[in-house]
Amino acid sequence: MVIAIQVAELNFKIAQDQIQEIREVFKDHPGGYEIVAITESKSDKIRAQAQWMNTLRNHPNINVTINFAAESADV
Protein backbone atom coordinates (compact mmCIF):
# COMPACT_ATOMS: atom_id res chain seq x y z
CA MET A 1 0.00 0.00 0.00
CA VAL A 2 1.42 3.37 -1.03
CA ILE A 3 -0.12 6.31 0.80
CA ALA A 4 -0.17 10.09 0.41
CA ILE A 5 -1.68 12.40 3.01
CA GLN A 6 -2.62 16.06 3.01
CA VAL A 7 -3.29 18.11 6.13
CA ALA A 8 -3.90 21.81 6.58
CA GLU A 9 -0.78 22.47 8.69
CA LEU A 10 1.81 19.91 9.76
CA ASN A 11 2.53 21.79 12.98
CA PHE A 12 -1.10 21.53 14.16
CA LYS A 13 -1.50 18.92 16.89
CA ILE A 14 -4.61 17.56 15.22
CA ALA A 15 -2.63 16.93 12.01
CA GLN A 16 0.10 15.13 13.94
CA ASP A 17 -2.54 13.04 15.70
CA GLN A 18 -4.26 12.21 12.40
CA ILE A 19 -0.99 11.10 10.80
CA GLN A 20 -0.19 8.95 13.83
CA GLU A 21 -3.63 7.34 13.66
CA ILE A 22 -3.07 6.51 9.98
CA ARG A 23 0.19 4.80 10.92
CA GLU A 24 -1.62 2.91 13.65
CA VAL A 25 -4.46 1.78 11.38
CA PHE A 26 -2.18 0.57 8.59
CA LYS A 27 0.63 -0.94 10.69
CA ASP A 28 -0.87 -4.43 10.49
CA HIS A 29 -1.89 -4.25 6.85
CA PRO A 30 -0.86 -7.43 5.03
CA GLY A 31 2.05 -6.57 2.76
CA GLY A 32 2.86 -3.43 4.72
CA TYR A 33 2.46 0.20 3.77
CA GLU A 34 4.56 3.21 2.90
CA ILE A 35 3.68 6.86 3.35
CA VAL A 36 5.45 8.51 0.42
CA ALA A 37 4.16 12.06 0.86
CA ILE A 38 2.66 14.27 3.53
CA THR A 39 1.78 17.73 2.26
CA GLU A 40 0.18 20.86 3.67
CA SER A 41 -2.62 22.83 2.05
CA LYS A 42 -2.07 25.82 4.34
CA SER A 43 -5.87 26.21 4.03
CA ASP A 44 -5.46 27.40 0.45
CA LYS A 45 -7.37 25.64 -2.32
CA ILE A 46 -4.87 26.51 -5.09
CA ARG A 47 -1.96 25.30 -2.97
CA ALA A 48 -3.87 22.14 -2.05
CA GLN A 49 -4.48 21.31 -5.71
CA ALA A 50 -0.87 22.03 -6.67
CA GLN A 51 0.42 19.85 -3.81
CA TRP A 52 -1.79 16.94 -4.86
CA MET A 53 -0.88 17.25 -8.53
CA ASN A 54 2.84 17.30 -7.68
CA THR A 55 2.47 14.37 -5.30
CA LEU A 56 0.60 12.24 -7.82
CA ARG A 57 3.02 13.16 -10.59
CA ASN A 58 6.05 12.28 -8.45
CA HIS A 59 4.54 9.08 -7.02
CA PRO A 60 2.38 7.44 -9.70
CA ASN A 61 2.23 4.24 -7.66
CA ILE A 62 0.10 5.81 -4.89
CA ASN A 63 -3.00 3.75 -4.33
CA VAL A 64 -4.37 5.45 -1.19
CA THR A 65 -4.87 9.19 -0.73
CA ILE A 66 -6.04 10.61 2.56
CA ASN A 67 -7.13 14.20 2.85
CA PHE A 68 -7.73 16.03 6.11
CA ALA A 69 -7.83 19.49 4.53
CA ALA A 70 -11.40 20.51 3.65
CA GLU A 71 -10.29 22.87 0.90
CA SER A 72 -8.76 19.90 -0.91
CA ALA A 73 -11.95 17.89 -1.10
CA ASP A 74 -12.65 18.60 -4.75
CA VAL A 75 -9.10 18.17 -6.05
Side-chain angles (χ1 to χ4, degrees):
M1 184 163 304
V2 181
I3 302 171
I5 303 167
Q6 187 169 94
V7 297
E9 297 271 346
L10 281 169
N11 63 347
F12 287 172
K13 176 155 179 18
I14 191 167
Q16 295 167 15
D17 291 345
Q18 290 165 329
I19 293 165
Q20 184 56 40
E21 285 301 316
I22 290 167
R23 289 186 171 111
E24 186 66 26
V25 165
F26 288 106
K27 74 177 182 178
D28 295 325
H29 184 274
Y33 77 96
E34 178 183 12
I35 297 173
V36 295
I38 301 174
T39 59
E40 300 176 284
S41 68
K42 301 281 189 180
S43 298
D44 178 88
K45 185 174 182 173
I46 301 297
R47 178 186 170 94
Q49 291 173 343
Q51 291 290 329
W52 274 120
M53 295 307 291
N54 287 336
T55 297
L56 295 170
R57 189 177 311 113
N58 292 329
H59 303 280
N61 58 335
I62 290 171
N63 56 11
V64 175
T65 59
I66 301 171
N67 180 39
F68 291 110
E71 59 280 348
S72 304
D74 64 351
V75 174

